[in-house]
Amino acid sequence: MRSDAGRFWATRERPFPRAVEDAGAHRTVDADDLVELCQAIAEQEGIAEQKCRIVRTTR
């Protein structure tokens, strides 16, 4: 979706778990173009995946 300011943004339908948000993952991201938006989404999902791996290996 595009904002009134011309930026693209995306929001996850389901929030990240609290621990993932505390690790720095953001549910909503924005960017100047679709390529940057996809990169921002991938970065947040990467943070979430990394946090989940850490949690799984420490249990």
Side-chain angles (χ1 to χ4, degrees), residues 19-38:
V20 172
E21 288 182 355
D22 290 346
H26 300 286
R27 182 178 178 185
T28 301
V29 294
D30 67 326
D32 291 326
D33 59 43
L34 290 176
V35 171
E36 286 181 14
L37 185 63
C38 290

Side-chain angles (χ1 to χ4, degrees), residues 35-58:
V35 171
E36 286 181 14
L37 185 63
C38 290
Q39 290 170 339
I41 293 167
E43 181 179 315
Q44 300 311 306
E45 294 296 330
I47 292 168
E49 179 60 30
Q50 182 178 22
K51 178 62 179 177
C52 288
R53 267 191 243 132
I54 291 168
V55 168
R56 278 182 255 161
T57 60
T58 58

